[in-house]
Amino acid sequence: MASHSDTLVVFFGATAGENGGKLGSDEREIILLVWQIVDLHEKKVGKLHKCFVKPDTLELTDQCKEETGLTVDDIVKAEPLDKVLQQFQQSVSSEVKCLGRTTYTLCVDSPLVIRQALHPEASKKNLVLPEIFFSFVDVRKEFHKCCPNAGLAQKLTLTSMLECILYHKFSCVETVNYKFDSGTCSKTEPVDSEAVIRARGLPWQSSDQDIARFFKGLNIAKGGVALCLNAQGRRNGEALVRFINSEHRDLALERHKHHMGSRYIEVYKATGEEFLKIAGGTSNEVAQFLSKENQVIIRMRGLPFTATPQDVLAFLGPESPVTDGTEGLLFVKYPDGRPTGDAFVLFSCEEYAQNALKKHKQILGKRYIELFRSTAAEVQQVLNRYMSTPLISTLPPSPIMPVPVLTTPPFLPAASSTRDCVRLRGLPYTAGIEDILEFMGEHTVDIKPHGVHMVLNQQGRPSGDAFIQMKSPDKAFMVAQKCHKKTMKDRYVEVFQCSTEEMSIVLMGGTLNRSGLSPPPCKLPCLSPPTAYAAFPTPPAILSEAALYQPPLLAAPRPPQTTAHSPAHTLAYYPPQPHLYMNMNYTAYYPSPPVSPSTVGYFAASPAVAVAAQPHHAAAAASPVLPQHGALVRMQGLPYNTGVKDILSFFQGYQLQPDAVLILYNFSGQCSGEALITFPSEEIARQAVAERSNHPFYGQQVHLAFCN
């Protein structure tokens, strides 16, 4: 279609709700379409066509009735939208043909009828719009360019504006993208912060094409959809979307709480920096993988760590040929080269991708494989996540910083030769505390309070090991006999009886199996705990027991000077030494069995101070270790199974990094639904309350309140 012709199709529409400047913002359906042919060459105006449209919901707002003069009786017998669009196309084609013309230009007095009403509704109803609706002229914009001194165009009618620009050549024909184009984004690429939004509440299986369909009518930049992942690498129901300009971004904000299926989607402003953090990448390997145009990307998760490209190709089968064979596979690996179990696959067409998705949860080796649609931005994000440092640092800080350490006996066991512990080896890397408790079965009741200790490697990731403190050596022996080589998530787990002294040696690099204990390759004088350990306020009676922690597990503590405002609480400090930090594993303390409150906390990377979650009756005692006054926020309405990483993910990407997280538990050891969160300053804390309060948190709405 020509960008400009002597034949204009003047088009107008109205919905059953808001009209005018808010047209389409309330997601109401179209009830009226009006059009008229204008022959500029002959200066003739054709017949005015006015067609009522029957919506799926026969309900009109009072504002609609007042502005349009229509009632429900007027539209109850009307044709549905698809039939009216057919009438429009036939009518326009017939009249243009009678004029002896072959081209025409669609003109509107506002782009809202096209971008915010017609395209979104057609997308939801799976209607194919005529080509004429993918390019149009905004008469008001053209009038301002032609007559810049004519005053406000809002006070002029469409007819009067057209008369002023009859001989004006249209300078800008607006277009609507036929489809969303995926692509890559470099971290060095400039991104306009006035063109980015954050969409929240998306179904977890949504693809970039689904999100583009939600914003149908608005033009998204190439590769401009970035699905956000949580701390576990799974989609968290959020996405950052980059539009071609601020005008389209502003129209996208008007779709706040519009629906995708049965779910409403929240739409907020975001920044270019946030978009680049999620979608930007610098890997040449990823750039080469994504360099092929018009490919469908499928993500595979849960692959055996021994899986080869040939294994994956055989699993997908001949009905799902991968683009360029092994060149169309991208395995995700840790920085040290170990596989993560994730891979991305390219398919040349939708049919091949659909055939691959049919293999969702089928078995490869001894593991079931998850398959779902992915995006170029997700490829970048997953690679960035695995190749960067972990969200929660577990390595010690610089040697010039003192390391605060927990001094209460229930959390760091005293070195002892009593074999009242068991070691679990070969755990799946995705295993959590619930999986371990299920694995232990009837022996769970014999675990000491706070007796479950997951071991992380130097990169802060699960090492596949865990230590469990049992109530007695007999209980530990029974567990080792009954649970050895039981399976957990299709992997068998080895269980060895051990002592806390042997546990210390293993943490320093030694080995423990059923044949006995092997010392570490070099004898280190002590092991300073990582910064992931919490600093707890402790009564004087307990503080004196810090001497129980002898080498090789811990160095002897040096209590600092007690501050005047909290004489009852003291922390034990361990002077760091440079030669301690090499080739060691570190223990991260995860929630204990339900019989006792959890102790998971979160700390800022520097300075490293964490706050332990305690029952309500102990919350008051925890306050001295929280950061400065005025930076504390209370979070209410949390799901009972909330973890620290979930709360961190809730704030991730909003430049609202917490200093500490304190999850409150009730007397039965379950999450009370509340947490205390500290921020670096009062300003950031108040910003967190303003931006994140009353937002969905894993299906529940949470409330944030600033604590004076």
Side-chain angles (χ1 to χ4, degrees), residues 604-682:
S606 180
V609 178
V611 183
Q614 303 178 27
H616 278 304
H617 68 276
S623 59
V625 297
L626 292 173
Q628 60 173 317
H629 176 71
L632 184 63
V633 170
R634 179 181 291 273
M635 193 172 186
Q636 298 172 304
L638 296 169
Y640 75 93
N641 57 348
T642 297
V644 173
K645 288 186 178 180
D646 300 323
I647 295 177
L648 294 178
S649 296
F650 183 71
F651 291 101
Q652 184 182 5
Y654 287 83
Q655 299 178 342
L656 301 171
Q657 183 73 359
D659 273 346
V661 174
L662 169 67
I663 301 178
L664 302 180
Y665 289 76
N666 56 29
F667 289 100
S668 62
Q670 292 182 328
C671 176
S672 66
E674 295 189 13
L676 296 177
I677 305 166
T678 58
F679 293 91
S681 66
E682 179 177 334

Side-chain angles (χ1 to χ4, degrees), residues 174-193:
E174 297 192 28
T175 61
V176 178
N177 289 345
Y178 286 92
K179 65 175 184 176
F180 167 69
D181 292 325
S182 59
T184 60
C185 178
S186 170
K187 282 188 178 294
T188 60
E189 181 178 340
V191 177
D192 184 7
S193 289

Side-chain angles (χ1 to χ4, degrees), residues 283-292 327 346:
S283 170
N284 292 331
E285 183 183 16
V286 174
Q288 183 178 358
F289 176 75
L290 298 174
S291 62
K292 302 177 180 64
E327 296 296 322
L346 295 179

